[in-house]
Amino acid sequence: MQPLIRVMASLSKQEQNKQLVHQFFEALDRYDTEMVDQLVSSTNYSFHFSGMPPMDWNTNKEQFLAPFNKAFPDLRRNIVDMVAEGDKVAVSINVTGTYKGEFQGIPATGKHVSFTAMDILTIIDGKITEEWATADMMGLMQQIGAIPVRSTSSSSNNSNSSDTV
């Protein structure tokens, strides 16, 4: 096997960025914070997760990750699609895991969960410097029983309605 540096040198900048993002998500799945620290900028990394204010990742990563890791100890981020252009990488992810610990005050059920997430990462000088992430938290909360699943009964689409558009 060729050393990583030699392989990386032969790849385009966009391919190198995609490889870095693959390594980042693999490190998160292994709870390898040392590798994560090597892949993100230690001085200039901002993390934006939908519904939350921007976060200083280097100071607060454990605070953000711990609830997920405890509730879903086998959490895996499976990359479905990835596109790179310039210094940006956009990734679509299917997140899976087994609900084995309390999450957001909801007791564990042992159920398998699966939800989608989308991330856009900025990579400068071989380090992740910014991440914008969004995830189907509504779907996750429905799967763990925190939010009822909305019924799709035919009564909501009553064809006898006198309302017209």
Side-chain angles (χ1 to χ4, degrees):
M1 178 173 233
Q2 295 181 13
L4 182 60
I5 294 171
R6 190 172 292 147
V7 172
M8 294 293 277
S10 67
L11 300 175
S12 72
K13 188 68 157 177
Q14 285 78 21
E15 289 302 315
Q16 289 177 35
N17 289 347
K18 288 165 71 174
Q19 286 290 334
L20 188 142
V21 170
H22 268 288
Q23 291 175 347
F24 176 71
F25 286 111
E26 288 171 1
L28 286 173
D29 285 349
R30 291 189 314 269
Y31 310 114
D32 186 347
T33 56
E34 286 181 28
M35 177 58 81
V36 170
D37 289 344
Q38 292 176 26
L39 299 172
V40 302
S41 172
S42 62
T43 59
N44 185 29
Y45 178 48
S46 60
F47 178 68
H48 309 266
F49 190 81
S50 58
M52 295 175 53
M55 179 172 65
D56 177 1
W57 178 261
N58 294 308
T59 304
N60 298 310
K61 70 178 164 252
E62 288 300 323
Q63 180 182 2
F64 179 78
L65 293 173
F68 286 100
N69 294 343
K70 287 178 184 173
F72 308 95
D74 60 346
L75 195 70
R76 293 292 171 260
R77 297 155 187 90
N78 304 301
I79 295 174
V80 175
D81 202 5
M82 186 182 305
V83 177
E85 184 174 329
D87 62 0
K88 303 264 191 241
V89 176
V91 62
S92 171
I93 304 165
N94 184 44
V95 184
T96 60
T98 309
Y99 188 34
K100 294 185 176 182
E102 182 181 306
F103 185 71
Q104 302 286 321
I106 308 300
T109 63
K111 290 182 179 179
H112 182 76
V113 299
S114 177
F115 60 97
T116 58
M118 303 284 287
D119 285 37
I120 299 175
L121 301 99
T122 303
I123 296 138
I124 298 175
D125 296 328
K127 299 282 185 177
I128 299 171
T129 60
E130 184 175 43
E131 181 178 2
W132 290 82
T134 186
D136 179 13
M137 295 306 291
M138 174 74 84
L140 172 62
M141 298 307 273
Q142 287 176 330
Q143 290 176 65
I144 67 171
I147 298 172
V149 177
R150 186 174 177 195
S151 172
T152 58
S153 69
S154 61
S155 64
S156 63
N157 292 327
N158 189 346
S159 61
N160 294 330
S161 173
S162 61
D163 295 337
T164 57
V165 178

